[in-house]
């Protein structure tokens, strides 16, 4: 399967604004996010991430730490007995600048 980063897809298609991203990639969430840093940093975005393997603290924590570093906060989270979680993140960079 050919793969590309979200940043590359956005750039190649000359997409100027992204408001909403849904990530459901069966355990490769962190890899998708790492290929989205430019998009995540330059837009006011909400993310719905289906995080698999939440029982693996390093996987779950890597995602949370990465998004926190990029000024995202959790606005909704629901854990399921199947070992996955639906989490909505919202970029709070605008709120952070208002609070300065």
């Amino acid at each position: 399967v050919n793969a590309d980063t979200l940043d590359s897809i956005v750039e190649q298609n000359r997409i100027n604004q992204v408001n909403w991203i849904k990530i459901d990639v069966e355990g490769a969430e962190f890899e998708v996010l790492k290929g989205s840093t430019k998009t995540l940093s330059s837009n006011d975005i909400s993310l719905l991430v289906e995080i698999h393997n939440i029982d693996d603290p390093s996987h779950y924590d890597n995602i949370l730490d990465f998004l926190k570093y990029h000024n995202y906060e959790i606005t909704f989270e629901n854990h399921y007995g199947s070992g996955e979680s639906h989490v909505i993140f919202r970029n709070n960079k605008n709120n952070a600048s208002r609070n300065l």
Side-chain angles (χ1 to χ4, degrees), residues 1-2 10 14 22 31 33 37 47 50 54-55 60 69-71 82 98-99:
V1 174
N2 291 330
V10 167
R14 297 185 177 120
K22 178 184 179 205
E31 288 76 14
L33 291 168
T37 56
L47 301 167
E50 184 172 294
I54 61 171
D55 297 331
Y60 184 77
Y69 177 80
H70 290 283
N71 297 314
S82 60
R98 285 187 211 130
N99 294 330

Side-chain angles (χ1 to χ4, degrees), residues 30-43:
F30 190 54
E31 288 76 14
V32 170
L33 291 168
K34 289 190 297 186
S36 308
T37 56
K38 184 176 178 183
T39 302
L40 293 174
S41 297
S42 64
N43 291 278

Side-chain angles (χ1 to χ4, degrees), residues 15-65:
I15 297 169
N16 296 323
Q17 184 174 2
V18 177
N19 300 24
W20 177 256
I21 298 172
K22 178 184 179 205
I23 300 173
D24 181 359
V25 290
E26 307 302 317
E29 300 84 15
F30 190 54
E31 288 76 14
V32 170
L33 291 168
K34 289 190 297 186
S36 308
T37 56
K38 184 176 178 183
T39 302
L40 293 174
S41 297
S42 64
N43 291 278
D44 188 18
I45 300 175
S46 294
L47 301 167
L48 169 58
V49 184
E50 184 172 294
I51 302 175
H52 292 265
N53 307 318
I54 61 171
D55 297 331
D56 176 359
S58 64
H59 177 70
Y60 184 77
D61 290 345
N62 282 341
I63 292 167
L64 296 184
D65 292 345

